[in-house]
Amino acid sequence: MIALRKLRQMESLPALAFSDALFLAADDHCRDASKNGLTSSIGSKDQSGMNSSPYSRVARYADARGVAESMTFGQDKATEVVLQMLIDASKREKIFDKGYCKAAVSTCKGKDFDLAVTNYADSVNLNQDGKDKISKVTNDAKDKLSKGIDIDMSKIENYNKLLVKYMEQQELARL
């Protein structure tokens, strides 16, 4: 009931802007996690011999501040990913954090599950490696970049209403 009350009381937030660097970092982790069966934001070892983190993956492509990451499993459509973010309390905190102004999502199919990785940041400035990678992406990746999910927080109200309705139905079913 607390989550339901919070959703009803939320005010609209500005839209999150798409970021190439956040997409590239999310895509790196999506591919790594699906290939290696990873289920957390800690990735495989990178070139330095350390396990990658959301910040280290974004730092490959940009100078960024306030980096965060969410992973959802089993969804491959934007609306399903956003709904999962609204249902899960820790993900809901990220999607509604007023500090984040940039975001990007990458989805991929793993051996055992579909995966979506979402990266957020409050500031992102593409570095030279990021610019080089963007200019060299394959046609498939270019297509994926052009279809990047730009999460429009003003439209989240519709998802909030859907979630509130779902939660009310679940509450009624328990009575």
Side-chain angles (χ1 to χ4, degrees):
M1 287 307 266
I2 293 171
L4 184 59
R5 218 173 305 128
K6 271 183 122 175
L7 286 171
R8 285 185 174 149
Q9 295 170 350
M10 290 186 114
E11 57 189 66
S12 292
L13 296 169
L16 293 167
F18 177 77
S19 163
D20 291 332
L22 294 178
F23 170 78
L24 292 171
D27 198 52
D28 284 353
H29 191 54
C30 199
R31 291 170 191 264
D32 179 31
S34 64
K35 177 182 171 189
N36 296 304
L38 305 174
T39 58
S40 78
S41 290
I42 303 302
S44 298
K45 294 188 185 214
D46 59 19
Q47 294 170 349
S48 69
M50 304 291 289
N51 290 77
S52 68
S53 67
Y55 181 80
S56 69
R57 288 187 291 274
V58 172
R60 293 174 192 160
Y61 307 111
D63 299 316
R65 288 194 326 251
V67 174
E69 183 175 86
S70 293
M71 295 173 71
T72 58
F73 301 91
Q75 297 85 24
D76 63 350
K77 292 183 174 60
T79 53
E80 293 171 348
V81 171
V82 172
L83 188 58
Q84 180 63 34
M85 289 174 172
L86 293 171
I87 291 169
D88 183 307
S90 66
K91 291 174 179 59
R92 187 172 54 242
E93 287 176 18
K94 289 177 186 166
I95 199 170
F96 289 121
D97 187 316
K98 292 178 182 178
Y100 299 128
C101 59
K102 305 272 187 183
V105 177
S106 179
T107 59
C108 54
K109 295 201 177 288
K111 295 179 229 171
D112 302 320
F113 50 80
D114 290 339
L115 171 64
V117 176
T118 308
N119 281 338
Y120 309 89
D122 64 4
S123 169
V124 180
N125 295 308
L126 211 55
N127 62 26
Q128 192 57 50
D129 287 343
K131 291 174 186 173
D132 292 346
K133 175 92 179 214
I134 292 294
S135 69
K136 293 177 183 175
V137 290
T138 63
N139 287 333
D140 180 49
K142 284 182 184 178
D143 183 51
K144 202 171 183 184
L145 271 173
S146 70
K147 293 177 184 171
I149 299 172
D150 203 0
I151 303 170
D152 185 346
M153 297 306 276
S154 64
K155 293 180 182 171
I156 291 296
E157 265 182 52
N158 295 330
Y159 296 115
N160 275 346
K161 289 175 187 171
L162 178 65
L163 182 62
V164 166
K165 187 182 235 180
Y166 170 78
M167 292 173 82
E168 285 173 345
Q169 289 172 349
Q170 295 302 309
E171 199 63 33
L172 288 173
R174 280 186 243 162
L175 298 176

